[in-house]
Amino acid sequence: MAAQTVANTADSTVNTTGSPVDLGPAAALSCRECGHRVPLGPVFACEECFGPLEIAYDFSAYDTEELRKRIEAGPSNIWRYAPLLPVPADVATKPNINPGWTKLVKADNLARELGVTGGLYVKDDSGNPTHSFKDRVVAQAIEAARAFGFTTLSCSSTGNLAGAVGAAAARAGFRSCVFIPHDLEQGKVVMAAIYGGELVGIEGNYDDVNRFCSELIGDPAGEGWGFVNVNLRPYYAEGSKTLSYEICEQLGWQLPDQLVVPIASGSQLTKIDKGLQELIKLGLVEDKPYKIFGAQAEGCSPVSVAYKAGLDVVRPQKPNTIAKSLAIGNPADGPYVLDIARRTGGAVEDVNDEQIVDAIKLLARTEGIFAETAGGVTVGVTRKLIENGLLDPTKTTVVLNTGDGLKTLDAVAGTGLTATIRPNLESFREAGLA
């Protein structure tokens, strides 16, 4: 069984070679529901209540100012935050695609279009090695895979994760075998396949793919496989925290007032909140209120529907949207997203496909950022939240763009030439371009 490649003793966790597992400040796995703790290992569900497990840390030895100096002296990638992540201290010396430290763009032109006066920023994660934020989470997962002695890296994916796993595995010398819905955008299929790993299409949607991977992990065929978003999920998910770390550091070690975050599984939003809470507890930022807003596509909006109905339970949907990277009809972290939106005073909203395309074009036209459909969702939802009076335009707001528009060209396929002219000035003038 894949989950039996490590052994837990009374004092430590060891991998298949008997070597201790070193994951830096990570102390244990803790259940988000009942608080039950277990030693570090490739497990993701609580043995007591079947709730999700996440990393618990020991940060007690850190001095705030020394930690701040250490971070600021670190590399220009996510490993500047290694003291706050489940990775060994020497992580920066190991073969990894080293994502992160992407641009926080002050979006003044977009702000004028939307009527934002308090400062609007776009955290543009299309600048990562495979052009999506998924490089962050995979970078974390591959360090756990190394520590636990896995030889194959795998995942279920809506596209971006498949490419990130393929690239990271190639760089680190792992075999990769990833599973995707059979009808993904061709750009994402090519990007996932180009790294030389095995790419398998599953007949069905993402939820069907995820169920298959959960079966494979418990089968002898899955022995030695690290599924980044299944048995390595507690480690993988911590990569999303680095978005909040970077945003706050890039704002001069300040919390933003408002964040708009896309929702697929919901893990990114929950970990951004976790990262902000950690920075507050460590004294790296001043504690003040902030609001987190979730953004979904109307054609796959189970969390938005639950939020608007005042429900605590998220009812699954069958996805039907151009925002395929967000097309998870049964989001695992959906209930936790609802909790965070309500606790922080935020909200969860959705936009339709036409609004997504309009928002992609708006961001490109105003800031020169070509977002994939998920970025169109966050920008479109931001505009809708302002129009509905839910997001305060006088407050500092950060909107996430999690991927590159070159991956989702079909969504804006009608965009093209302004005119076709003969190679002379007369034709140029006739076209009304002079």
Side-chain angles (χ1 to χ4, degrees):
M1 302 280 286
Q4 295 176 335
T5 57
V6 297
N8 294 322
T9 67
D11 300 314
S12 64
T13 304
V14 297
N15 63 20
T16 51
T17 67
S19 301
V21 170
D22 176 15
L23 289 173
L29 294 175
S30 176
C31 178
R32 290 163 73 179
E33 289 294 327
C34 72
H36 178 68
R37 289 165 72 105
V38 297
L40 299 171
V43 291
F44 61 98
C46 177
E47 60 191 12
E48 296 291 324
C49 72
F50 302 107
L53 296 174
E54 66 177 0
I55 308 292
Y57 295 92
D58 181 7
F59 294 148
S60 60
Y62 291 156
D63 173 82
T64 299
E65 289 308 311
E66 288 300 317
L67 178 59
R68 190 195 309 274
K69 290 177 183 177
R70 182 176 172 185
I71 290 171
E72 291 175 346
S76 296
N77 56 50
I78 59 172
W79 305 132
R80 68 196 289 113
Y81 306 109
L84 307 178
L85 297 170
V87 294
D90 64 348
V91 62
T93 68
K94 298 183 178 183
N96 195 295
I97 56 176
N98 298 330
W101 203 241
T102 54
K103 293 179 180 179
L104 183 67
V105 179
K106 194 166 190 301
D108 292 339
N109 297 328
L110 179 62
R112 281 192 290 272
E113 289 271 352
L114 299 182
V116 175
T117 59
L120 179 63
Y121 297 82
V122 176
K123 182 58 172 170
D124 186 12
D125 243 27
S126 66
N128 279 312
T130 70
H131 308 288
S132 91
F133 97 94
K134 292 294 188 181
D135 289 328
R136 296 175 182 272
V137 290
V138 173
Q140 305 297 315
I142 206 163
E143 295 309 317
R146 267 194 256 263
F148 297 139
F150 290 124
T151 56
T152 297
L153 209 63
S154 186
C155 69
S156 52
S157 174
T158 58
N160 283 324
L161 181 58
V165 167
R171 170 76 176 132
F174 280 72
R175 175 200 176 202
S176 69
C177 181
V178 301
F179 302 90
I180 61 174
H182 70 287
D183 60 349
L184 281 188
E185 302 98 331
Q186 188 60 23
K188 289 182 179 177
V189 172
V190 172
M191 189 162 189
I194 199 68
Y195 301 108
E198 294 158 285
L199 181 65
V200 181
I202 301 290
E203 295 178 359
N205 59 33
Y206 173 81
D207 297 300
D208 298 315
V209 179
N210 203 38
R211 279 192 293 271
F212 168 77
C213 288
S214 297
E215 291 179 22
L216 180 56
I217 203 171
D219 188 89
E223 180 74 35
W225 287 40
F227 288 81
V228 301
N229 51 350
V230 188
N231 60 345
L232 296 178
R233 187 174 183 83
Y235 313 90
Y236 154 96
E238 294 294 282
S240 291
K241 293 193 313 182
T242 60
L243 281 161
S244 49
Y245 296 162
E246 288 179 20
I247 289 168
C248 290
E249 185 179 356
Q250 289 168 329
L251 288 174
W253 293 110
Q254 293 184 20
L255 291 168
D257 296 314
Q258 302 169 133
L259 298 99
V260 185
V261 183
I263 299 171
S265 71
S267 175
Q268 182 186 67
L269 188 149
T270 63
K271 295 306 179 185
I272 285 175
D273 179 65
K274 183 182 180 185
L276 296 177
Q277 290 296 310
E278 287 175 350
L279 293 179
I280 291 169
K281 290 174 184 175
L282 287 162
L284 289 168
V285 297
E286 181 183 353
D287 188 4
K288 70 171 189 176
Y290 61 85
K291 295 182 179 182
I292 298 184
F293 297 87
Q296 291 204 291
E298 185 180 287
C300 186
S301 54
V303 186
S304 176
V305 168
Y307 175 82
K308 293 174 183 178
L311 301 174
D312 295 324
V313 176
V314 177
R315 295 171 180 167
Q317 293 181 355
K318 185 175 181 179
N320 181 23
T321 173
I322 60 171
K324 293 185 179 180
S325 62
L326 303 183
I328 297 180
N330 189 18
D333 279 27
Y336 301 106
V337 169
L338 294 173
D339 291 343
I340 291 167
R342 290 166 179 156
R343 170 173 58 79
T344 65
V348 186
E349 186 55 270
D350 56 80
V351 285
N352 61 36
D353 286 355
E354 182 180 352
Q355 291 169 317
I356 293 169
V357 173
D358 286 345
I360 291 171
K361 293 179 178 179
L362 174 63
L363 181 59
R365 174 172 58 80
T366 56
E367 299 298 340
I369 297 172
F370 184 17
E372 72 160 37
T373 47
V377 170
T378 53
V379 173
V381 163
T382 300
R383 177 161 55 185
K384 192 171 182 179
L385 289 168
I386 294 170
E387 292 171 350
N388 293 343
L390 296 175
L391 188 145
D392 187 344
T394 68
K395 301 290 187 180
T396 302
T397 303
V398 176
V399 177
L400 270 64
N401 173 44
T402 52
D404 195 318
L406 291 174
K407 295 185 177 187
T408 56
L409 288 173
D410 288 353
V412 290
T415 307
L417 296 173
T418 300
T420 301
I421 66 171
R422 300 182 300 279
N424 58 61
L425 289 174
E426 181 182 2
S427 182
F428 175 71
R429 292 190 177 97
E430 288 174 353
L433 299 172

